[in-house]
Amino acid sequence: MDNSNVALITKMVLETVEKQKSTENIGYIVPVGVSARHVHLTQEHVEVLFGPGYQLTKKKELMGGQYASNELVTIVGLKLRAIENVRILGPVRRKSQVEISATDAIRLGVKAPIRESGNTAGSAAIAVVGPKGALYLDEGCIIAKRHIHMSPKDAMAAGVHDGDTVSVKADNERGTVFNHVQIRVDDSFTLEMHIDTDEANAAKIATGDTVRIIR
């Protein structure tokens, strides 16, 4: 084989490789927010834990009108294993809910199912302890299903709809692909994928990193 043929073949191979890289990098880019364990409470339950008439106080604004409150509680599993300093997210909800990671579930000794936020029927029981009282939830402890918050504009640009399930990839040294990622669309949402601390640690992802939707 003469030098001209070698050069031509080399050029074709390099062009193919570059084309493959370009194809692999196609996808809608989404920033990541790592969600630590937290609690949502009804106003009634806020008062059980902090006293009559107590109102949550705002520490940090979050998307969709939510906020991280200054208030912290202790969550307790069925075997009396506890995790302290768990933050409450406001505003108050119609139903109380505790969101933890799979590692937290093992530590607490509870069988928390993977669920979309708000879907707590038949989920794990948990106790919540505050400075003025304690409450026991027959159900309400879940591992949050990973999801992406989007505005309608972002959803249109990404070619997805509310309730769709997609896969995303983290283009870092781990190269992790997350399947079964649910799309949530609302005018109040800022573009962000939410994963828990277990998922983030396994994939070497931190808040502010990005992933891309691959299908």
Side-chain angles (χ1 to χ4, degrees):
M1 185 179 297
D2 60 35
N3 289 337
S4 61
N5 287 336
V6 171
L8 179 60
I9 292 172
T10 301
K11 181 181 178 183
M12 292 173 63
V13 169
L14 290 174
E15 288 176 348
T16 301
V17 169
E18 288 302 315
K19 185 177 180 180
Q20 288 176 342
K21 287 182 178 179
S22 176
T23 301
E24 287 174 357
N25 288 329
I26 292 174
Y28 198 74
I29 302 299
V30 180
V32 176
V34 179
S35 181
R37 65 182 78 97
H38 59 271
V39 176
H40 300 280
L41 294 172
T42 64
Q43 180 58 34
E44 177 187 357
H45 286 165
V46 169
E47 296 187 32
V48 168
L49 298 177
F50 294 91
Y54 192 90
Q55 300 290 319
L56 294 176
T57 58
K58 191 178 298 183
K59 177 182 176 66
K60 180 183 177 182
E61 291 280 357
L62 303 174
M63 74 170 65
Q66 294 193 87
Y67 60 86
S69 77
N70 291 296
E71 286 72 28
L72 305 173
V73 293
T74 297
I75 55 176
V76 185
L78 298 179
K79 297 181 180 180
L80 299 183
R81 299 172 184 169
I83 298 178
E84 299 179 336
N85 298 320
V86 180
R87 193 166 302 280
I88 299 170
L89 300 191
V92 294
R93 291 192 174 187
R94 289 180 294 177
K95 194 170 184 179
S96 293
Q97 173 179 299
V98 177
E99 296 183 32
I100 60 175
S101 69
T103 298
D104 291 337
I106 293 170
R107 177 177 172 183
L108 292 167
V110 299
K111 295 182 178 179
I114 298 173
R115 296 281 184 81
E116 181 182 0
S117 180
N119 180 11
T120 59
S123 59
I126 194 86
V128 184
V129 181
K132 299 292 185 180
L135 62 94
Y136 176 78
L137 302 176
D138 290 320
E139 59 185 25
C141 183
I142 64 170
I143 298 169
K145 183 177 182 180
R146 49 185 173 249
H147 56 277
I148 298 173
H149 289 285
M150 286 184 162
S151 67
K153 182 179 178 181
D154 286 319
M156 182 177 294
V160 296
H161 303 87
D162 185 51
D164 284 355
T165 299
V166 299
S167 294
V168 304
K169 183 178 181 181
D171 290 313
N172 59 14
E173 58 189 300
R174 283 289 175 89
T176 306
V177 174
F178 293 97
N179 296 315
H180 312 301
V181 182
Q182 188 166 22
I183 300 295
R184 296 184 188 172
V185 180
D186 190 271
D187 287 324
S188 66
F189 288 163
T190 302
L191 181 65
E192 192 170 64
M193 176 178 171
H194 286 176
I195 56 176
D196 66 29
T197 50
D198 281 359
E199 295 168 315
N201 290 337
K204 292 200 71 175
I205 296 174
T207 293
D209 289 347
T210 59
V211 294
R212 58 187 174 86
I213 298 173
I214 56 177
R215 70 167 184 266

